[in-house]
Amino acid sequence: MGDDEMERLVATIERRLGRAWGEAVEWLRDQNQLDDVAERLRAGDLAGAIQGVEDAAIRFATEVHDGYVTSGQKAAAWLDDLVADKLVSFDAAGTRAVAWAEQNKTDMIRDLGIEQHEVIRDVVGEGVNAGRSAQVIARDLRDSIGLTPTQERHVASYRRALESGDLRDALGRELRDARSDKALRRALENSTAIDPARIDGMVERYRTNYVAFRADVIARTEALRAVHEGAEELLQQAAEAGQIADDMVVVRRWNSLHDKRTRASHRVMHGQERRLGQRFETGAGYPIAYPGDPDARSEEIVGCRCFLTTHLVPA
């Protein structure tokens, strides 16, 4: 598939997954009303403080799988136009494709479960140390749904900065709500404290911005994975079915964007080519199968905006 077609496909799946992640987060919040979470905390049920995580993971995994199938179908249509007298289609019921769907669901359930467990531990620990009530801890816990443990710790440190008067730190946060800047600067200039109710509002907006940021990151990462693995599965199916002529080979080309947000280790990869099944090499010397490859080092995949294009060339 060419540059434009692949870019459009990734963008389409990314938008779908962004919406799906937001819907999964809202669904999970609906399943965990504030009073219910507070009651579980009072009863000491930390493990069950947030319920429905597995179901939310399955919901999102289903959307990711749909992106995988869509990519396989798009790749099939592309290849069908290139080969003569051979009908190319994507077999979503094939052994590997079915295994991919099951592994995708299993991984999503495991990863989100571990993530939520760590968030519960951190939020409850922070709340207990600060002497907050079960109701307040429950509020922070419910609001943290959709964040990674690291992101929730950033939210907690933002609250500490506001409460301790470290307002320069608060003003330097990229995801802060800039509408509060005037009040923060005034308090900084006058050496006055921020009203607790106002701090609650600032923290809530900061957390909301982080949830939106997380949605963007996870949508892009999962879109890249689903699109590239779906296309690669189709190409493997076609090769096994003899739908690619013996005198032709499949070549995949790495495409990098050329702006300041692009990693230096990916910018130099632009134009790098590999045959089907071969791994690329980042500018830092690490192997990577495709943009967003979950088996690659985390610093090479999070927020990546690169993509692969596919070509048939003479052997």
Side-chain angles (χ1 to χ4, degrees):
M1 289 187 284
D3 294 12
D4 291 343
E5 187 175 7
M6 197 63 175
E7 274 196 285
R8 285 195 300 270
L9 179 58
V10 171
T12 297
I13 302 302
E14 183 180 353
R15 285 193 296 271
R16 288 184 193 171
L17 294 184
R19 288 193 298 270
W21 179 258
E23 289 167 359
V25 167
E26 287 306 312
W27 179 86
L28 195 52
R29 286 179 176 164
D30 287 344
Q31 307 308 304
N32 293 275
Q33 295 302 307
L34 182 58
D35 289 344
D36 295 332
V37 177
E39 186 58 34
R40 293 175 203 135
L41 291 176
R42 293 189 188 97
D45 183 15
L46 299 187
I50 299 296
Q51 298 186 354
V53 175
E54 181 172 327
D55 288 339
I58 292 172
R59 282 169 173 256
F60 187 64
T62 299
E63 296 293 339
V64 174
H65 179 251
D66 286 348
Y68 171 84
V69 172
T70 296
S71 177
Q73 293 169 339
K74 290 286 187 181
W78 166 80
L79 185 59
D80 191 59
D81 286 340
L82 294 181
V83 297
D85 302 324
K86 296 177 181 179
L87 179 61
V88 181
S89 61
F90 181 70
D91 183 9
T95 302
R96 282 191 307 266
V98 170
W100 191 95
E102 287 302 313
Q103 191 63 52
N104 174 59
K105 182 173 70 174
T106 298
D107 290 347
M108 200 70 70
I109 291 172
R110 180 200 63 213
D111 293 346
L112 292 185
I114 292 173
E115 182 178 279
Q116 190 59 57
H117 175 76
E118 291 182 13
V119 168
I120 290 172
R121 181 197 62 197
D122 291 348
V123 171
V124 172
E126 176 82 15
V128 170
N129 290 338
R132 301 185 185 114
S133 68
Q135 196 76 11
V136 172
I137 295 174
R139 178 205 63 193
D140 290 342
L141 189 53
R142 184 175 180 273
D143 289 346
S144 72
I145 292 172
L147 296 180
T148 67
T150 298
Q151 290 168 342
E152 178 53 38
R153 286 193 284 272
H154 287 170
V155 173
S157 71
Y158 180 66
R159 178 182 285 279
R160 287 195 298 272
L162 293 172
E163 292 176 340
S164 67
D166 189 3
L167 304 186
R168 293 188 188 281
D169 176 279
L171 281 165
R173 303 293 182 108
E174 184 177 353
L175 293 178
R176 73 187 188 282
D177 187 337
R179 291 174 296 182
S180 300
D181 285 1
K182 184 180 293 185
L184 289 175
R185 291 194 179 97
R186 185 165 56 247
L188 184 62
E189 292 169 1
N190 298 330
S191 299
T192 55
I194 305 293
D195 180 77
R198 192 160 201 171
I199 288 177
D200 286 345
M202 291 178 180
V203 172
E204 181 181 353
R205 291 190 293 274
Y206 185 67
R207 183 181 278 114
T208 297
N209 289 344
Y210 239 129
V211 169
F213 172 77
R214 172 77 193 288
D216 289 343
V217 171
I218 198 169
R220 180 68 184 186
T221 302
E222 293 300 324
L224 286 173
R225 182 171 71 92
V227 166
H228 288 108
E229 293 194 359
E232 185 140 330
E233 171 59 22
L234 177 280
L235 292 169
Q236 290 182 16
Q237 290 179 8
E240 292 166 358
Q243 294 167 330
I244 299 174
D246 292 339
D247 60 349
M248 303 295 288
V249 294
V250 176
V251 173
R252 313 206 72 187
R253 182 179 189 272
W254 190 285
N255 297 272
S256 308
L257 301 183
H258 297 282
D259 58 30
K260 62 182 181 181
R261 292 174 56 195
T262 302
R263 292 172 172 82
S265 63
H266 286 194
R267 188 178 296 112
V268 298
M269 294 176 69
H270 186 72
Q272 189 177 130
E273 294 184 341
R274 294 289 186 273
R275 292 193 177 190
L276 182 64
Q278 294 179 334
R279 290 181 175 271
F280 294 85
E281 183 176 308
T282 72
Y286 299 119
I288 187 170
Y290 54 81
D293 176 10
D295 294 328
R297 298 170 68 95
S298 60
E299 62 264 32
E300 297 285 6
I301 61 175
V302 176
C304 178
R305 296 173 299 134
C306 304
F307 60 92
L308 302 185
T309 50
T310 306
H311 310 277
L312 288 182
V313 300

